[in-house]
Amino acid sequence: MTKEPDAPQLPLMKTELTERQIDIYRPGWVPETGHATCKAGVYWDAIRIPGERGREVADGMENALDGASPGPVIWSNTGRYVLWFLVARGTAQLHRWPPGVTVYTHDSSEHISIPGAGGRTHPVQWLARPTREREFIDVNQLHKLVCQLTGWPSSEGAQ
């Protein structure tokens, strides 16, 4: 059996808030400290993109917004690292997603670990936090970028 290589430590995106910042926006679904497990589809839908592809998408979202936070992106390292992109509840199903991208909505039984607003929460952490301007990722922008990066026809995306 081959051992999976350790996931790289991801540097924080330029938009990442540090614990020293006083005014951190914290929607009701984000715990104050530690982490909480929330079922997909209750507050948001979750789009899971593994490894380097997930990081490429997160960087692309930030670049498209000229360095502004794209909204909530969670980095999880529970064996293999994945990124979770949180979009408004009920919107993930508006598109067909390419292979390798997994969507979790109210129809799934998936629970996601949500990092707290403060403190260390390994093995999950914010790569980009929700902001007052972007409590959730724009699902249309996310879908368009994922299609561009994977070669998936975005014209087939809308249902």
Side-chain angles (χ1 to χ4, degrees):
M1 179 193 297
T2 58
K3 183 180 184 257
E4 287 288 328
D6 291 335
Q9 287 290 14
L10 296 176
L12 299 177
M13 293 173 76
K14 292 180 284 185
T15 56
E16 175 67 13
L17 299 173
T18 66
E19 292 175 48
R20 287 181 233 145
Q21 289 179 300
I22 295 170
D23 187 27
I24 295 176
Y25 175 67
R26 188 177 72 82
W29 50 268
V30 174
E32 202 167 305
T33 60
H35 71 276
T37 303
C38 298
K39 184 182 180 309
V42 174
Y43 300 104
W44 33 256
D45 290 347
I47 298 172
R48 178 185 180 273
I49 306 175
E52 292 300 318
R53 176 67 71 188
R55 182 55 194 238
E56 185 181 18
V57 170
D59 288 344
M61 292 290 294
E62 182 184 41
N63 291 336
L65 296 168
D66 295 324
S69 175
V73 180
I74 299 169
W75 177 70
S76 174
N77 183 18
T78 54
R80 291 185 177 171
Y81 81 99
V82 300
L83 275 70
W84 297 93
F85 297 82
L86 304 184
V87 299
R89 182 180 61 187
T91 63
Q93 298 177 101
L94 299 176
H95 298 282
R96 276 190 51 227
W97 296 87
V101 174
T102 310
V103 174
Y104 297 97
T105 66
H106 70 282
D107 292 333
S108 71
S109 59
E110 187 71 21
H111 287 72
I112 314 294
S113 288
I114 304 297
R120 301 268 179 227
T121 58
H122 184 76
V124 295
Q125 68 184 34
W126 290 111
L127 192 59
R129 295 175 187 264
T131 66
R132 284 180 178 80
E133 296 78 25
R134 291 187 183 89
E135 184 171 343
F136 302 108
I137 299 259
D138 181 306
V139 73
N140 295 319
Q141 286 180 326
L142 178 63
H143 184 260
K144 181 179 177 181
L145 179 61
V146 168
C147 289
Q148 288 173 348
L149 293 173
T150 61
W152 185 256
S154 62
S155 61
E156 292 180 22
Q159 290 185 351

